[in-house]
Amino acid sequence: MWCFRVRNVVLITVDCLRYDYAVKHMCFVRRFFERYGTVFEKVFAHGPGTTVSFPAILTSSYPLMYGGYPYLSKYRVLLSEVLRKYGFITVGLVPNPYLSSTFGYSRGHTIYFNYMDSGFWVLGRVKPYFRIPKFVPTMFLKNVLYGRLPYVKAPFLTEHAMRILKSIVSSSLNRGFYLWLHYMDAHMPYAPSTKSLKAYGINMFDVRRLNRKPGLSKCDESLLKTAYASCVFDVDMSIKRLVEFLEDVKLLDETLVIITSDHGEELLETGDYGHHPKLTARLLHVPLFVYPRLTEKSRVDTLKGQIDLAPSILKILGLSVKVSRWHGKPTLLTLKGNDFIIAECGHTRKSEFVKRHEIQYALITERYKFVYWPNKNKMELYDLTRDPLEINNVAAENADLVASFLKLVNEHIRFERTADIREKIKRVRIKGRIRRK
């Protein structure tokens, strides 16, 4: 357990990072958090993509609530909004178009960079990099060899974060800070560093071919997994650099450091790759590393959901505030887990917007996963201990289990609809259109 006052927060989210690849290929992160922090082994995202999972991470509400996604409605309250209200300097460095101000994710941030300007946006937007000549040829080389990257690489993002933190420290402001850093390196197209290419025995021309291939088949599985692992390794090196920087400037001992992912990735295990609207364990099982240690154990293997992340951060900071539209609990402080986790989505492969006919829910327990499409009257049940790839639907042989899971999912659906109606009525009353009796 920590014995000092936490006054800062560094939240690192890694796009497309699977739990199994995180613990295997992020060697520094795994060793550091096992020794000084807590590793949560059974954490699940509440959706299979960026737009569907981040509402739970940052607003502690389910994806299909409050108008759905990809836009954050006015009913959702971001963690950054709450922390800024309590005097924190809030910084967001997020090179993902779906996490831009257009979709509402810049709300509550003192400083917010999305890096999505037109033109050659990396050099045009991130001016501090002009002072680092060694990065410039590397960036041009990667754009030539791998094709233009639609995101800022981890070394650039880390350097930008360190410059901002230096300015906060040097300003002598006696205020805590909240830094949200979103790494995109594990997302296609892949652009591993020279060091990771050597470490994993692949060359950049094979990776370029992989990035440009219109459709991947089973014969590409080995190269795909190696390229993905090498990019995860790159993220690990950047996180190591950031943690060492925090220690050098005497900030680590008073900073809560959290590393997690918005979703996982399919790597051709069952023929699919990417993160399509499927509620599979490969897309929902995500890593969670927390420093300092929050429990008596360095590893926690109980079932947990990311909807509990924002309330847990507030409790660790000592802020006894209850946000009415947050539905998670500060369970990261305990060893006790949840009986089940609910994940949901409603978009298609071609659109990030919710389509009513495509809505599906997954109920995940320690052993089973139940998937339900309410508008298609379709149900599936998988025994995750015997069938981790979720190939054999055993719903027909377990009718009683299906009935109990269906009841829980229907209760969840009613809960979401009730919360939506209550907020709409509250808004109308505030505007004076409905009078109380």
Side-chain angles (χ1 to χ4, degrees):
M1 300 290 286
W2 78 96
C3 57
F4 44 83
R5 181 173 178 265
V6 173
R7 60 191 305 269
N8 309 308
V9 180
V10 173
L11 173 62
I12 299 172
T13 52
V14 185
D15 216 293
C16 303
L17 181 60
R18 283 167 50 156
Y19 171 80
D20 53 349
Y21 276 75
V23 296
K24 183 176 180 180
H25 299 283
M26 298 180 77
C27 298
F28 166 78
V29 168
R30 186 187 70 248
R31 291 168 184 167
F32 178 84
F33 284 87
E34 281 179 346
R35 184 173 181 180
Y36 302 108
T38 309
V39 180
F40 294 88
E41 299 177 340
K42 293 182 181 178
V43 177
F44 286 85
H46 296 276
T50 297
T51 58
V52 62
S53 65
F54 264 106
I57 297 172
L58 297 180
T59 73
S60 193
S61 55
Y62 287 97
L64 294 175
M65 298 179 75
Y66 304 135
Y69 60 91
Y71 294 96
L72 286 183
S73 74
K74 57 189 176 183
Y75 300 113
R76 298 192 195 264
V77 181
L78 282 158
L79 174 63
S80 54
E81 294 178 286
V82 177
L83 292 179
R84 187 171 184 178
K85 182 179 178 181
Y86 280 85
F88 283 76
I89 301 171
T90 51
V91 181
L93 305 180
V94 190
N96 186 312
Y98 286 113
L99 301 176
S100 65
S101 57
T102 302
F103 293 92
Y105 283 92
S106 63
R107 296 195 321 239
H109 287 91
T110 313
I111 303 169
Y112 194 82
F113 282 87
N114 189 244
Y115 312 97
M116 291 297 149
D117 291 2
S118 59
F120 197 53
W121 43 269
V122 176
L123 284 178
R125 182 60 161 160
V126 192
K127 294 180 181 179
Y129 298 149
F130 279 115
R131 306 172 200 162
I132 313 170
K134 66 179 181 179
F135 280 151
V136 177
T138 304
M139 181 172 55
F140 275 105
L141 182 62
K142 285 187 181 297
N143 276 274
V144 170
L145 293 174
Y146 294 118
R148 182 184 170 187
L149 301 177
Y151 55 82
V152 175
K153 289 284 293 172
F156 300 92
L157 206 60
T158 304
E159 183 67 29
H160 196 187
M162 292 190 301
R163 287 181 178 274
I164 291 174
L165 292 180
K166 281 181 182 178
S167 66
I168 292 174
V169 172
S170 62
S171 65
S172 300
L173 293 173
N174 190 24
R175 294 165 63 186
F177 65 80
Y178 161 70
L179 170 65
W180 172 28
L181 204 58
H182 186 71
Y183 288 118
M184 290 289 295
D185 297 61
H187 194 293
M188 268 243 186
Y190 300 133
S193 65
T194 304
K195 184 175 180 179
S196 61
L197 287 172
K198 291 179 179 178
Y200 286 85
I202 54 176
N203 65 72
M204 61 184 67
F205 300 104
D206 286 338
V207 178
R208 178 182 173 89
R209 177 178 58 83
L210 190 72
N211 289 337
R212 294 196 165 196
K213 196 169 182 180
L216 300 181
S217 61
K218 200 69 176 175
C219 62
D220 300 305
E221 183 176 355
S222 177
L223 177 60
L224 177 67
K225 289 183 174 180
T226 306
Y228 175 78
S230 65
C231 292
V232 172
F233 176 78
D234 282 340
V235 174
D236 181 61
M237 290 192 293
S238 288
I239 293 175
K240 178 182 179 183
R241 189 177 177 207
L242 182 61
V243 170
E244 289 174 345
F245 165 80
L246 291 172
E247 191 169 19
D248 291 341
V249 296
K250 313 300 182 186
L251 287 174
L252 186 61
D253 285 346
E254 56 186 28
T255 300
L256 174 68
V257 181
I258 299 172
I259 302 171
T260 190
S261 171
D262 51 352
H263 57 85
E265 191 83 336
E266 296 267 14
L267 297 173
L268 295 174
E269 290 91 350
T270 57
D272 266 348
Y273 73 95
H275 40 279
H276 299 298
K278 297 165 59 181
L279 299 175
T280 65
R282 293 175 298 284
L283 294 179
L284 299 177
H285 190 193
V286 294
L288 179 62
F289 304 95
V290 180
Y291 171 89
R293 183 162 297 171
L294 303 177
T295 67
E296 295 82 5
K297 296 182 179 179
S298 62
R299 285 184 168 269
V300 177
D301 62 355
T302 50
L303 204 59
K304 295 182 180 293
Q306 287 183 323
I307 197 170
D308 300 324
L309 187 59
S312 298
I313 290 174
L314 292 189
K315 187 160 187 177
I316 296 165
L317 290 172
L319 298 177
S320 56
V321 54
K322 185 176 181 181
V323 184
S324 62
R325 280 167 249 162
W326 283 11
H327 302 282
K329 299 178 181 178
T331 57
L332 294 186
L333 293 172
T334 66
L335 295 174
K336 183 180 179 181
N338 300 314
D339 295 330
F340 60 88
I341 302 295
I342 295 284
E344 56 192 36
C345 67
H347 61 285
T348 66
R349 294 191 178 206
K350 296 181 179 180
S351 171
E352 292 292 328
F353 290 89
V354 176
K355 307 293 183 184
R356 181 180 177 85
H357 191 65
E358 299 296 329
I359 289 177
Q360 56 180 304
Y361 299 87
L363 185 146
I364 304 161
T365 68
E366 292 279 358
R367 179 175 177 179
Y368 292 100
K369 192 185 78 175
F370 172 70
V371 188
Y372 175 49
W373 289 259
N375 298 303
K376 298 180 180 179
N377 197 25
K378 179 182 175 183
M379 291 173 279
E380 294 176 355
L381 180 68
Y382 298 100
D383 187 338
L384 299 177
T385 56
R386 297 181 180 179
D387 181 24
L389 292 180
E390 302 167 37
I391 297 173
N392 302 310
N393 180 11
V394 295
E397 302 93 66
N398 297 273
D400 292 342
L401 204 55
V402 168
S404 64
F405 288 161
L406 180 60
K407 182 180 178 181
L408 292 172
V409 172
N410 282 328
E411 288 175 357
H412 173 78
I413 295 172
R414 285 194 294 271
F415 156 74
E416 287 189 332
R417 290 175 180 172
T418 302
D420 286 351
I421 292 170
R422 284 176 179 170
E423 286 302 322
K424 289 177 181 177
I425 291 174
K426 190 184 297 183
R427 283 276 174 177
V428 173
R429 279 178 174 162
I430 291 173
K431 292 180 179 180
R433 295 177 186 173
I434 294 179
R435 294 182 180 178
R436 292 179 180 270
K437 292 183 179 181

